[in-house]
Amino acid sequence: MSSPEHHRSADFGELRIESVSKRYPGAHRREPPRLALESISFDLRRGAVGVLLGPSGCGKSTLLRMVAGLETISEGRITVSGREVTGPGRDRGMVFQTYTSFPWLTVEENVGYGLRINSSAAGVRSGVVDYFLDRIGLTPFRKAYPDQLSGGMRQRVAIARALANQPDILLMDEPFGALDPETRWQMQELVLGIVHKERMTVLMVTHDIEEAIFMGDRIAFFSRGPGRLIEVIEPTFGADERRLDKAALKAIPDYGEMESRILQMMRTEGSRASESAV
Amino acid sequence: MYIGRRQSRPRAVRIAFQRPVSVTLRVVLGVAAWFIFLGIWQYAATADLAPQRLFPPPTQVISALETLFSEQNFQADVLASLRRVAISFALAFAFALPLGLFMGAFPVVAAFFNPLVSPFRYLPAPAFIPLLLMWLGAGDTQKIALLFLGVVWFLVTLIADHVRSVRMELIETALTLGASTRQVLGGVVFRASLPGLVDIARQMLAVSWTYLIIAEIVAATDGIGAMIMRARRFVRVDEVMAGIVMIGILGLLLDLLFRLLHWKLFPYARQRSRKP
């Protein structure tokens, strides 16, 4: 990548979440505040892929949005590359589940948007844009408008746009949730390939166990009501070949074991939460 | 790149719920409707159902329109009317755009202005004519002020509502790419609402035309409305109708102009608007 490494600090790309809580005020004055996330701590070193996994309503998206600076932090602190998060910024690129390509910009203009508003020189910009268009395989579609693309292509544009802006960390909120299984699989491999090459730190939310094990170096498993981090799972089996492709991953015996264990945790969480609701 | 879903050929039954109509059929039906309408009018006018002086056939209205242009300098009236609409609408839009943009983008701004703007919409602009006559006299300023009042509050509300509908994810995406508040407002919120703003302008321009005639019927010496009132005094029904036809033609042309503008300015929105 074209960005120089020398001015980067030693903790570049490191994520630190320290005892973070999220409280929502009650709907009216008498109602006590609702605790959505309780004292979450989680770290990622540079280049690691962190996955936030858990039943719906466990606050995993809220935590991701807090890292992005799109939600306020009630207690605790979050740092990225040693800098405390106080609001959204270009050091934390975000990919949403819904399509967020700017419809009035072509594919290449979308990818170059972050660089343009941060006033990068046009020469540098076009080099970076070309590089990422090539990485996501959309060079032939560079002049097309997002509405002319399929869902998977649009999500690739969103990922390339976030990466081209050269963030310290890439945040993704169920980025492949709206895609069909075949496309989702291709996208997971594509993103892992790019991310490892760039040594990009990634924090992503998913509810897909297979996706979590395939992508994640560290999987944070959440319970709900209030959201708590109950276990950090590190899929160490298979090391390198795990990353080759999904078929190879599924052939590893440990994979099946881990998948069923997480599935069990999901089920327990789901039933526990529905019991407590009664 | 984009391959639209092609409809199968229409079968014998053409009337079905939600069935799209081919371009050819649409043109044929549209032209047919006009022919039938004009045919009935021509027949009714020439069949002596009413005195022809009070109910002239379309052919006579068209020749009256020609005479107006060739002998009575009608183009000066048309230009005067167009000028009033253009000036008042430009002023109203220039006032409503920043206000609507800020109200739509920032709920706190809307909370301040909405209680003020919403009731204003229910005040009928023609009710202000006596006031405006006293304040501004019978000249152009008064007419432009009336046209301004007729559309400005609707414009503010429509623009604010439209700007508010810009998807939050687009705004948040720009923020996480490092955009400043100003960049988000201009580069995303305004840019995303732009096609809709052109549509709003097109629709409210039609409202402006209706107020134009009201403004020109009251104490005007030139303009299409003034010509209509002159013709009424001499019971020249054909000229009155010619004036109405002229207003219709101008409205239609302006509408087409704005559609063309929309088509030219927003190539990315074409696919969507083409879908039935």
Side-chain angles (χ1 to χ4, degrees), chain A residues 12-277:
Chain A
F12 176 84
E14 276 185 10
L15 168 71
R16 239 179 264 287
I17 299 173
E18 296 166 10
S19 320
V20 161
S21 298
K22 178 71 184 178
R23 233 178 281 280
Y24 287 108
H28 43 85
R29 210 181 299 169
R30 297 259 177 78
E31 205 180 74
R34 191 171 59 81
L35 189 62
L37 282 169
E38 190 176 10
S39 194
I40 310 290
S41 294
F42 187 70
D43 297 320
L44 284 177
R45 59 181 164 68
R46 184 187 172 193
V49 177
V51 173
L52 307 178
L53 184 68
S56 59
C58 69
K60 54 193 193 293
S61 283
T62 306
L63 184 64
L64 190 81
R65 288 174 58 82
M66 286 161 91
V67 176
L70 298 171
E71 294 272 356
T72 55
I73 300 165
S74 308
E75 273 161 44
R77 63 183 228 136
I78 298 173
T79 61
V80 171
S81 307
R83 285 188 306 274
E84 188 167 352
V85 170
T86 52
R90 68 172 297 195
D91 55 330
R92 286 151 288 133
M94 178 102 166
V95 175
F96 294 81
Q97 180 182 5
T98 50
Y99 303 136
T100 53
S101 302
F102 300 124
W104 58 90
L105 298 179
T106 60
V107 167
E108 63 177 349
E109 287 166 343
N110 261 290
V111 174
Y113 177 83
L115 295 173
R116 187 165 59 81
I117 58 167
N118 292 300
S119 52
S120 289
V124 178
R125 193 162 80 219
S126 80
V128 176
V129 169
D130 287 348
Y131 173 79
F132 280 104
L133 280 176
D134 183 51
R135 290 306 314 250
I136 59 167
L138 284 185
T139 308
F141 296 93
R142 58 189 308 154
K143 300 284 182 199
Y145 286 103
D147 275 8
Q148 299 168 310
L149 304 179
S150 69
M153 285 164 139
R154 280 199 246 184
Q155 216 51 346
R156 273 188 271 169
V157 172
I159 290 164
R161 179 176 56 185
L163 289 172
N165 203 32
Q166 300 164 352
D168 297 12
I169 183 171
L170 178 67
L171 308 171
M172 301 197 286
D173 192 357
E174 296 193 33
F176 316 127
L179 307 177
D180 60 88
E182 174 65 21
T183 316
R184 188 183 310 175
W185 174 13
Q186 288 171 357
M187 292 286 288
Q188 290 163 354
E189 291 186 356
L190 177 82
V191 168
L192 273 185
I194 298 177
V195 151
H196 284 150
K197 179 146 188 297
E198 314 292 338
R199 281 197 69 206
M200 179 66 68
T201 317
V202 176
L203 185 64
M204 66 182 286
V205 163
T206 186
H207 57 249
D208 180 344
I209 298 172
E210 191 184 286
E211 182 168 285
I213 301 175
F214 181 53
M215 309 259 314
D217 297 306
R218 305 191 80 204
I219 303 169
F221 190 87
F222 285 75
S223 70
R224 65 177 167 187
R228 283 195 194 92
L229 205 176
I230 49 176
E231 192 177 341
V232 175
I233 304 157
E234 299 193 5
T236 46
F237 54 83
D240 290 334
E241 62 266 39
R242 183 162 68 87
R243 285 294 156 64
L244 288 179
D245 62 76
K246 239 178 174 173
L249 168 75
K250 290 200 165 181
I252 301 172
D254 289 352
Y255 167 81
E257 200 180 298
M258 178 169 284
E259 187 181 33
S260 56
R261 188 164 77 86
I262 297 177
L263 194 59
Q264 191 56 45
M265 286 162 75
M266 280 277 214
R267 293 233 169 102
T268 317
E269 266 316 305
S271 58
R272 191 189 63 81
S274 57
E275 270 165 31
S276 65

Side-chain angles (χ1 to χ4, degrees), chain B residues 231-248:
Chain B
R232 186 202 67 97
R233 219 173 297 141
F234 304 104
V235 204
R236 287 295 307 267
V237 178
D238 53 348
E239 285 185 359
V240 171
M241 285 182 164
I244 295 171
V245 168
M246 195 61 217
I247 295 164

